[in-house]
Amino acid sequence: MTSKPITHVATTDIREMMNPGSERRMDLPGFDPEFVDFPHYIIRITERIWHDRDVDLCLAYYAEDCAIHTMSGPLVGAKTVRDNTLQTLEAFPDRRLDGDNVIWSSDGRGTFHSSHLITSKMTNLGTTEFGPPTGRRVQVQTIADCLCKENKVIEEWLVRDHGSICVQLGFDLEQSAIQLAEKDKQDGCSLIDALSSARETVGSFDVTPKGEASTVAAKALRASWDPKALDHCPEFYDFRARVQYPTGRSSYGHDQYNDIMKQFVGAFPKVNLSINHVAETPYLGDAVDVALRWSIRTAHDGHGAYGRATGAPIYILGVSHYRVMNGRIREETTIWDDVALHRQIATARLS
């Protein structure tokens, strides 16, 4: 169930999303009339499920056969979404999902695509996949890309900064990945095998941005993962650019950004990268917010951020949010599941 929404320019910012009393309404065929516009729909259903703790609403707002794409493997169905939500709340009973931004697109036929940047604050009071409860408070970001039609999420791409959760809880990221890979082996499964279909599709579906801001963002993304083009990144980033990457990596300015990316291109010197969705939303003044969902097929053939080379086949599902001002990127938040990435490498080491 792969869809190709076109780039669409919206005018709603985050303050308007949170204001259901706005007089301006969007045509949302098949959606409940209470929703002022599509970002309002995304914000409100998230609040109801997570803040109001009405978890059974997952069955109402997700399609019964909804496909959910993650770096931990594919999932299917509204019941799975509900069960995973309940499991998360057992580990983090006070978890919130606060919407930072919704960048969206539409295909013009009643189908809408959101890219929802979320910040979660929570306390670990239950067992997680990393170990027993620690009592620690953590703060982490997630981006949920949702394809929606007639009041339901019909497909979702979920990227979580899982590495930050692991580290903030006090666990060693690489050792946790090894333990998860060992458990997979005992259970007769493999994350590398689970992601094989996703790896095979990388490159078969590539979106070409049409807007000026999304074109800049797409060029920056491709240059960042290309060892031959990495030094050209200053052409796309403002000298004051603030960038956030998974597991607490952050940078300010060109030099720090290049230092981060050199670790990745060192570990994965040859990547096949495809951009699978693009959306632009005007922000304040002349700024434009851009969302790119992308995927990478590569191999762990080099030394860098992930230790000695293993040759492991690697799949990365990522989403990047950019704020573009005066033709250059001023802010970027990029998220993928770093635990799943380490786990793929650990799986290769155990084989």
Side-chain angles (χ1 to χ4, degrees), residues 311-325:
I314 297 296
Y315 171 73
I316 303 174
L317 171 63
V319 182
S320 299
H321 277 205
Y322 303 87
R323 181 153 293 155
V324 180
M325 302 174 65

Side-chain angles (χ1 to χ4, degrees), residues 141-259:
Q141 288 188 300
T142 301
I143 300 178
D145 273 25
C146 291
L147 185 65
C148 305
K149 186 174 183 179
E150 296 181 346
N151 219 57
K152 288 185 182 289
V153 178
I154 60 175
E155 192 167 9
E156 181 174 22
W157 296 260
L158 182 63
V159 293
R160 304 164 295 178
D161 191 358
H162 220 34
S164 283
I165 295 178
C166 178
V167 171
Q168 290 178 58
L169 290 180
F171 296 100
D172 180 85
L173 177 54
E174 186 174 0
Q175 188 58 40
S176 294
I178 291 171
Q179 291 172 357
L180 290 169
E182 288 174 339
K183 185 177 185 304
D184 289 340
K185 190 173 182 179
Q186 293 170 5
D187 294 341
C189 58
S190 159
L191 183 57
I192 289 176
D193 292 343
L195 295 173
S196 60
S197 295
R199 284 197 309 274
E200 291 171 4
T201 61
V202 175
S204 61
F205 171 34
D206 202 3
V207 172
T208 301
K210 294 182 174 60
E212 180 180 351
S214 57
T215 297
V216 169
K219 288 180 177 179
L221 176 64
R222 294 190 185 281
S224 297
W225 286 92
D226 183 349
K228 296 180 180 178
L230 181 56
D231 289 340
H232 292 282
C233 282
E235 299 173 16
F236 311 113
Y237 287 86
D238 187 89
F239 70 95
R240 298 155 293 187
R242 295 184 182 274
V243 177
Q244 297 182 64
Y245 262 60
T247 318
R249 301 177 180 96
S250 64
S251 68
Y252 177 81
H254 300 149
D255 54 343
Q256 293 182 8
Y257 180 74
N258 274 30
D259 288 344

